Amino acid sequence: MVAVLTIEGLAKSFAGVRALDGVDVEVHEGEILGLVGPNGSGKTTLFNCVTGFVRPTAGTVLWKGRNITQLAPDQIARLGVVRTFQQKMVFPRATVRENVEMAWRGKRGGDTGQQFKSCDDLLDFLGLAHLKDRLATDIPFGSARNLGLGLALAANPRLLLLDEPAGGLNQDEGQELADLISKIKELGITVWVIEHDMPFIMSLCERIIVLHVGKRIAEGRPAEVANDPNVISVFLGEKFAKDSAT
Amino acid sequence: MVAVSRSFAGTLLRQYPPADILTIRLPLAILLALPLLAPMLLPSTRLLSLAITAAIFLIVANGLHIVFGYTGQLSLAHTTLWGVGAYTAALLAIHYGWPTAALIPAAGISAAIAAVAIGIPAFRTAGFSFAIITFAFAEILRTVAINWRDLTNGGAGLMLRTPPTSIGPIEFETIRHLDNFYYLTLAFAYLSLAGVFLIRQSRLGRTFIAIRENESLARSLGINVYLHKLIAFGLSGFFAGVAGVFLLYNNQKIEPGPLSPFSAFFTIQFLLMILIGGRFSMLGPTIGAVIAVFAPEVIRPLIGLTPLGDLSTARIQIIFGSTLVLTVLFAPNGVAGQAKERYGALAAALQKFRERQGGAAPPGAAAGG
Amino acid sequence: MSQELSVFMQQLFNALTISGVYALVALGITVIFGLTGIVKFSIGELLTLGAFLTFAFWEGGTTFFLAVPLAAIAVGGFSLLLERGAFRFTLDQPINGFIVSLGLILVLQNLIIEIWGVGFKAPIRPFTQVWEVGGVSMPVQRWFVVWVAVVIIGLLFMVLRYTKYGRAMRACAEDRDAAALMGIPVALVIAGTFALGGALAATAGGLLASLFAIQPFLGSQYLLKGFAVALVGGLGNVEGAVIAAVLVGLTETMGSGYLATEWRDAYTFGLLIAILLVRPRGLFPARGRLQETLQ
């Protein structure tokens, strides 16, 4: 197993509150890695730190051996680490095709590694070809979610960070998305995905990391993690909290 | 090269389905060609002068469109850059006798450099802070124009008594050859329009729009947002600087007073043009500039018939200001946006009608610009 | 007192007067921004309106001390109408509110010209005495302006801190949606704040009418300074605005006192640019979601 992304001792505080507290992660080449944890456990903050949107307070992020901790988001993206967003994931006042064109990063000195021949090719892959002349703000939510994923793919990623891609999707749509992510993996792109929906992530991922109040509390294959007493107590706690709130 | 031109042709065809050519493109082309006939159609020298003003404004507005319309950055220093171009041209013409053909790129480049120099610090902030910093720079440049008397001759400004250099037998002197000067200005107005069109079609333009639409997303996809904002600002400055040359020849002077490019009034008026015309449309600034220049001509005689009587400058400005407010509130996409919406609704209704008749459906509505 | 010292004290006194006026304008701007995210440029015109109304009331026989509050109430009411008629439709798109305010500058400035003409109006002088202390001449009128500004700022702080309205306003500034969920009448609070901002600007205008000759273009100058102050202090931060007002007042008077007078605007804007570059959200950034628009 070759580690492409190595995170060591990553910490981030917001106004004295520790959102991340010394997190270590290795992402292996070609895998689909899951990142789960209750609300406020620091999942999105971790992605923000890796992709340069938030400066960590301490720790390092290595991408293929290169320290990228202090780089700007666009520099990190050009190195091949591309993320998606939970909200505001497309360019609203542009057509679907223009969206992909805006993100397209194909010709980069000879060997591009770009998996898709053209923007239209990518739109076919996403199943969005029939919507290509529609404004991105006018397409259904599920399609917009796919388009957001497509933008990240157009940017020619080696590692794709997906921030809750299945949030707000129904079961069928979720299954389609899981299939799409598997196909992305088959293209040779490593995937790291945050998700709340446990069945979704259990079936999709080979390995899962569990985050709780900014700390990594478990790591392993889905079955191992699901039976980890620490994880059970954290998630049961959340469940009780939800039940008592309603 | 072949591949590029093929993909360009593809883009054109996709954006302009044949069904639209007769209904939109042809009337639009005729409308765009109409200014060529202005010297024959406009009954007075005064109206032709106004057409020249409109052409100059159009160049300035198209420049502002790149940074405000495309890239979404509210620059309040744009008309100041126009003034910078005019001062550059005046200094080079007066002290070194440069010909017009050299003044135009020189003024454009100097204004572009000024834009980049303002942008380098200003784009480190975003949103309102950016707008206010550009305003602060505009105020500082105005103070410089007033106080650096050795260079700018202070509040009195610089006078230019030489007309544009003639091309062979064609002279551009504005009193005896106003037609020629009009065509010269119009040529550059068309060029500026072609400029915003080509930018819109290019990867650069798409990147600008990506930044306007969602800066974080653009950044996450590897777009260097800071650099592209600077490029947009520099390009907009170039347009403004070029327009500065024509302003200088038209007024035969440049000064930093209350009705000069250095005034807040013009800053507001150019924003108004883009908003009224339509900030999300390529032709928005063109429509806006023409309306801003000719609307008072239309309104004045109409109001003259009402009890309001004579239309003073103050009253025209009240009307302008109210129009800006009403536009933002009721038609935030401007005239072009409204037209596009209406046409879209009409096309949809037609399609529905044809479907009911059992005919083949025409291709979908045109993509947004 | 030595010559240099008395010159310095004179500058300090001048700085104090002008700082008071700037602080009032900046507070008007900052409370509106803090609450709505709208940068209300037309507040400069409300200042001019306040100055001219004060002058009109005074000319009509009202004493200056009553004319200023009357003008403040009238302009506050007018500002409330503007919020109801225009700004409230732009709350989800603050940049549109900003552009609306640019349009209103044209409308208001030219309305004032239509009504009162473009000429200057001589200053109203309710106090004519001048105190001389150690070579520093301090017109009582200026002290009056300083004290009125101090009292109003003090009152404003009390209102924001201790009254129900103040608490509601701070809650709305922090998170409008959450405030609405807590049962705070958000629309009412916003309308009230526009009235407050207008009244503050009009008071500044009324006070100016007792210091200098006024003319219809008065507003833009004070708007820009008030804005610079609000930004330097951190848009939305009330305490920051007061400190920044003193800072800008000092920069300007000391700059024009000891360097070249004609560059006085450049000093202020240079300071503004320098501070925003180091701290894009001002010296004392305010909290709350709206601040994100400033990055």
Side-chain angles (χ1 to χ4, degrees):
Chain A
M1 277 290 130
V2 186
V4 281
L5 187 82
T6 311
I7 298 170
E8 286 166 358
L10 204 68
K12 175 68 196 177
S13 308
F14 292 106
V17 181
R18 285 191 180 171
L20 289 175
D21 195 358
V23 176
D24 300 318
V25 179
E26 277 193 355
V27 184
H28 300 149
E29 177 139 41
E31 72 173 335
I32 299 180
L33 175 65
L35 179 61
V36 299
N39 278 329
S41 56
K43 301 181 302 277
T44 299
T45 306
L46 181 55
F47 270 22
N48 282 339
C49 284
V50 171
T51 50
F53 280 89
V54 166
R55 274 279 136 84
T57 323
T60 52
V61 180
L62 299 175
W63 167 243
K64 294 184 171 170
R66 176 176 173 184
N67 189 339
I68 59 167
T69 322
Q70 298 300 322
L71 296 187
D74 53 303
Q75 292 174 306
I76 294 173
R78 288 197 296 274
L79 291 173
V81 180
V82 182
R83 56 96 49 97
T84 63
F85 293 87
Q86 277 181 57
Q87 284 159 351
K88 298 189 176 169
M89 47 215 167
V90 296
F91 301 113
R93 269 176 307 237
T95 65
V96 168
R97 192 175 194 286
E98 280 176 323
N99 261 268
V100 176
E101 285 172 342
M102 286 169 180
W104 188 259
R105 196 161 288 285
K107 302 188 180 68
R108 202 174 48 195
D111 178 26
T112 67
Q114 174 60 267
Q115 302 296 328
F116 301 94
K117 285 198 289 290
S118 66
C119 293
D120 290 317
D121 192 24
L122 175 55
L123 286 172
D124 282 338
F125 177 80
L126 297 165
L128 292 173
H130 62 293
L131 294 171
K132 68 182 179 193
D133 290 325
R134 297 270 295 278
L135 288 183
T137 158
D138 295 339
I139 63 176
F141 180 79
S143 302
R145 184 59 56 97
N146 272 7
L147 180 56
L149 193 60
L151 294 181
L153 285 175
N156 196 4
R158 310 310 327 144
L159 169 62
L160 196 56
L161 308 182
L162 305 177
D163 195 348
E164 290 207 27
L169 298 184
N170 65 32
Q171 199 151 20
D172 289 347
E173 289 169 330
Q175 190 50 51
E176 278 172 32
L177 181 72
D179 294 345
L180 193 61
I181 294 174
S182 302
K183 278 203 281 178
I184 290 170
K185 181 204 159 182
E186 279 158 27
L187 294 171
I189 297 169
T190 310
V191 179
W192 188 9
V193 52
I194 292 180
E195 196 40 76
H196 231 68
D197 180 355
M198 289 312 283
F200 177 87
I201 208 141
M202 289 291 176
S203 64
L204 185 67
C205 300
E206 295 134 47
R207 213 158 58 88
I208 292 174
I209 287 170
V210 185
L211 219 53
H212 180 52
V213 284
K215 285 195 163 80
R216 189 184 68 176
I217 58 163
E219 177 189 342
R221 282 205 295 268
E224 296 166 9
V225 169
N227 293 321
D228 187 305
N230 275 332
V231 176
I232 292 169
S233 74
V234 165
F235 276 85
L236 280 182
E238 196 190 32
K239 191 172 180 314
F240 284 138
K242 257 185 205 156
D243 289 350
S244 56
T246 46
Chain B
M1 202 58 222
V2 177
V4 170
S5 63
R6 191 175 302 150
S7 79
F8 185 64
T11 314
L12 278 181
L13 266 183
R14 203 173 36 252
Q15 295 224 328
Y16 312 118
D20 282 357
I21 288 182
L22 274 183
T23 49
I24 309 182
R25 306 295 151 187
L26 193 65
L28 209 57
I30 293 171
L31 214 60
L32 280 177
L34 209 59
L36 288 171
L37 305 175
M40 287 139 244
L41 294 177
L42 293 178
S44 71
T45 318
R46 207 180 95 69
L47 284 176
L48 191 59
S49 299
L50 281 178
I52 291 172
T53 306
I56 298 173
F57 279 13
L58 210 151
I59 305 172
V60 181
N62 274 330
L64 183 58
H65 196 44
I66 296 171
V67 71
F68 176 57
Y70 289 174
T71 322
Q73 306 301 307
L74 184 52
S75 161
L76 299 180
H78 188 69
T79 54
T80 306
L81 297 172
W82 185 25
V84 167
Y87 267 108
T88 307
L91 289 170
L92 291 173
I94 293 169
H95 297 304
Y96 303 100
W98 281 30
T100 309
L103 289 182
I104 289 171
I109 289 168
S110 87
I113 290 173
V116 172
I118 293 173
I120 285 174
F123 282 126
R124 287 181 53 185
T125 65
F128 288 124
S129 292
F130 170 76
I132 305 300
I133 289 191
T134 55
F135 206 110
F137 271 111
E139 282 298 302
I140 289 178
L141 282 172
R142 192 172 63 90
T143 316
V144 170
I146 294 171
N147 291 322
W148 192 355
R149 294 199 184 80
D150 295 340
L151 188 73
T152 64
N153 198 25
L158 297 170
M159 302 291 262
L160 181 76
R161 293 198 176 78
T162 48
T165 328
S166 45
I167 303 174
I170 308 169
E171 289 184 46
F172 298 102
E173 199 275 320
T174 50
I175 293 176
R176 282 174 299 128
H177 301 281
L178 195 64
D179 291 15
N180 289 351
F181 183 67
Y182 169 72
Y183 281 119
L184 184 69
T185 317
L186 185 66
F188 277 86
Y190 277 131
L191 275 179
S192 77
L193 198 55
V196 291
F197 177 77
L198 288 176
I199 289 171
R200 178 68 185 84
Q201 300 298 327
S202 72
R203 181 170 178 86
L204 189 65
R206 282 199 296 271
T207 305
F208 290 163
I209 286 168
I211 291 170
R212 174 190 81 196
E213 289 296 301
N214 190 334
E215 204 172 306
S216 292
L217 182 58
R219 199 168 272 148
S220 82
L221 296 169
I223 291 171
N224 187 335
V225 168
Y226 181 77
L227 179 71
H228 282 91
K229 283 179 179 175
L230 273 183
I231 295 172
F233 205 19
L235 282 170
S236 80
F238 186 83
F239 280 56
V242 169
V245 179
F246 294 97
L247 180 79
L248 176 70
Y249 281 124
N250 197 38
N251 294 354
Q252 291 165 354
K253 67 166 187 184
I254 173 72
E255 41 87 33
L259 272 176
S260 74
F262 294 89
S263 67
F265 167 69
F266 267 125
T267 304
I268 298 172
Q269 211 190 359
F270 276 94
L271 280 177
L272 171 73
M273 286 179 211
I274 292 196
L275 288 162
I276 286 184
R279 62 196 267 220
F280 301 120
S281 307
M282 214 197 68
L283 285 177
T286 302
I287 297 169
V290 172
I291 290 179
V293 173
F294 286 103
E297 293 304 304
V298 180
I299 297 168
R300 200 178 309 228
L302 287 180
I303 301 235
L305 302 174
T306 69
L308 269 175
D310 175 46
L311 204 57
S312 62
T313 316
R315 284 182 194 168
I316 289 183
Q317 295 203 7
I318 291 172
I319 293 173
F320 266 4
S322 325
T323 316
L324 179 57
V325 173
L326 295 175
T327 308
V328 173
L329 293 181
F330 296 107
N333 294 340
V335 171
Q338 288 285 318
K340 224 178 266 172
E341 257 167 51
R342 293 288 142 78
Y343 178 78
L346 192 70
L350 264 177
Q351 180 160 357
K352 210 175 257 174
F353 178 74
R354 276 185 215 160
E355 269 164 20
R356 209 175 297 145
Q357 303 280 310
Chain C
M1 212 186 287
S2 76
Q3 179 70 32
E4 290 85 46
L5 189 62
S6 68
V7 169
F8 179 77
M9 293 306 288
Q10 183 72 57
Q11 299 296 350
L12 211 58
F13 175 69
N14 293 347
L16 199 61
T17 325
I18 206 70
S19 298
V21 176
Y22 288 168
L24 291 179
V25 181
L27 285 172
I29 292 168
T30 229
V31 290
I32 290 175
F33 179 87
L35 198 53
T36 61
I38 293 174
V39 167
K40 200 187 174 210
F41 253 39
S42 53
I43 213 155
E45 278 13 81
L46 295 182
L47 176 145
T48 318
L49 193 61
F52 274 88
L53 279 178
T54 302
F55 188 85
F57 285 134
W58 174 78
E59 226 177 12
T62 319
T63 153
F64 173 76
F65 306 103
L66 191 60
V68 176
L70 279 180
I73 291 167
V75 174
F78 181 60
S79 180
L80 182 80
L81 288 181
L82 288 180
E83 195 274 339
R84 290 284 88 190
F87 286 104
R88 75 176 156 133
F89 302 111
T90 68
L91 287 177
D92 53 339
Q93 290 256 356
I95 200 91
N96 285 350
F98 174 63
I99 295 163
V100 163
S101 80
L102 290 180
L104 284 176
I105 290 183
L106 285 188
V107 175
L108 295 178
Q109 191 174 82
N110 289 290
L111 272 178
I112 291 168
I113 292 174
E114 281 286 301
I115 299 170
W116 285 288
V118 286
F120 281 86
K121 301 266 181 261
I124 309 163
R125 296 251 185 245
F127 298 102
T128 47
Q129 309 95 301
V130 176
W131 293 343
E132 291 271 354
V133 182
V136 185
S137 81
M138 299 182 291
V140 175
Q141 184 58 47
R142 291 192 159 219
W143 273 119
F144 175 73
V145 169
V146 172
W147 282 112
V148 169
V150 167
V151 168
I152 289 178
I153 292 165
L155 276 176
L156 184 67
F157 277 17
M158 305 277 268
V159 166
L160 289 181
R161 194 141 306 177
Y162 300 114
T163 65
K164 207 170 131 193
Y165 165 72
R167 278 193 295 273
M169 207 187 112
R170 278 181 295 144
C172 292
E174 199 105 335
D175 190 330
R176 211 186 295 154
D177 299 334
L181 287 177
M182 282 155 57
I184 292 173
V186 176
L188 204 65
V189 173
I190 290 176
T193 305
F194 268 79
L196 175 66
L200 284 170
T203 309
L207 293 176
L208 278 172
S210 73
L211 294 178
F212 310 111
I214 54 169
Q215 34 85 18
F217 304 104
L218 179 75
S220 58
Q221 174 191 353
Y222 285 92
L223 160 80
L224 290 174
K225 298 297 166 55
F227 226 93
V229 167
L231 274 170
V232 167
L235 259 184
N237 186 330
V238 177
E239 292 88 349
V242 176
I243 298 170
V246 177
L247 194 64
V248 168
L250 278 174
T251 309
E252 200 176 292
T253 39
M254 293 300 165
S256 49
Y258 289 101
L259 305 167
T261 314
E262 64 267 31
W263 294 92
R264 65 185 266 157
D265 290 352
Y267 303 135
T268 309
F269 293 118
L271 177 81
L272 169 67
I273 291 168
I275 286 178
L276 285 191
L277 286 180
V278 186
R279 300 185 64 114
R281 290 165 57 179
L283 290 177
F284 312 99
R287 280 181 304 151
R289 272 188 323 162
L290 291 168
Q291 300 306 316
E292 285 163 23
T293 56
L294 293 172
Q295 197 163 90

